[in-house]
Amino acid sequence: MARHLTQAHIEMLARTVGTLEVATWNAVMELARQRLGHAYSRQALARHEPIRTALAARREQLGRKVTPRRPKPKTHGEAVLLNRIDGLEAELARLRAENESMMARFVIWAHNAHVLGIPDHRLDAPLQPVDRDYTEPDP
């Protein structure tokens, strides 16, 4: 039985999905097996929003990729730098998609707050401190 995915595993997979040559769930499952040493089902991986968002961003990036082919790197250092650039571009695309999703969610929250009549000063109020005092049990 595979271990549960931790938040660190989820973030690592979301970052590395952007380096996949083919953006499919089978490729994500294989990536997870290679990186984490356990086989995870598509459903187990798709349950996590950062992984879904990263895969969608990678699919979009590969779908609109019409950039001219780069010449083959002459040295190992060039290859490493080009791979790093590709990874950073993929991470940027993932973060842009995640930001767009968060902004859409914020618009929904703002609309609902307006409809419910919640004033701005209540929305901007600081969080209440957590009361961690000991509670005595009822007799």
Side-chain angles (χ1 to χ4, degrees):
M1 183 169 151
R3 296 183 301 190
H4 290 287
L5 288 169
T6 64
Q7 191 62 32
H9 291 148
I10 293 167
E11 290 173 6
M12 184 272 302
L13 286 173
R15 280 192 313 269
T16 54
V17 162
T19 62
L20 293 174
E21 294 294 322
V22 179
T24 63
W25 280 109
N26 286 336
V28 175
M29 290 165 39
E30 181 61 24
L31 176 71
R33 189 189 62 72
Q34 289 174 354
R35 296 287 175 117
L36 304 176
H38 293 282
Y40 292 95
S41 67
R42 183 198 63 78
Q43 291 82 1
L45 295 170
R47 188 175 306 138
H48 303 284
E49 180 66 28
I51 296 173
R52 286 195 315 262
T53 304
L55 183 61
R58 184 61 178 166
R59 283 179 176 160
E60 183 180 325
Q61 184 183 31
L62 289 175
R64 61 181 164 76
K65 193 173 191 177
V66 290
T67 57
R69 289 183 53 156
R70 292 183 184 151
K72 191 170 183 176
K74 294 182 174 92
T75 64
H76 177 69
E78 282 183 16
V80 169
L81 290 175
L82 289 175
N83 285 337
R84 176 88 171 128
I85 290 170
D86 289 341
L88 290 173
E89 286 175 348
E91 184 176 4
L92 179 63
R94 178 184 64 83
L95 290 173
R96 283 185 173 155
E98 189 174 323
N99 186 38
E100 187 175 317
S101 168
M102 294 284 192
M103 291 303 291
R105 193 174 202 185
F106 176 73
V107 167
I108 292 169
W109 288 352
H111 173 73
N112 289 339
H114 175 72
V115 168
L116 295 173
I118 302 173
D120 289 343
H121 72 275
R122 291 229 10 233
L123 291 173
D124 293 331
L127 296 175
Q128 297 293 322
V130 178
D131 183 17
R132 298 198 188 270
D133 288 341
Y134 177 73
T135 351
E136 295 183 16
D138 293 332

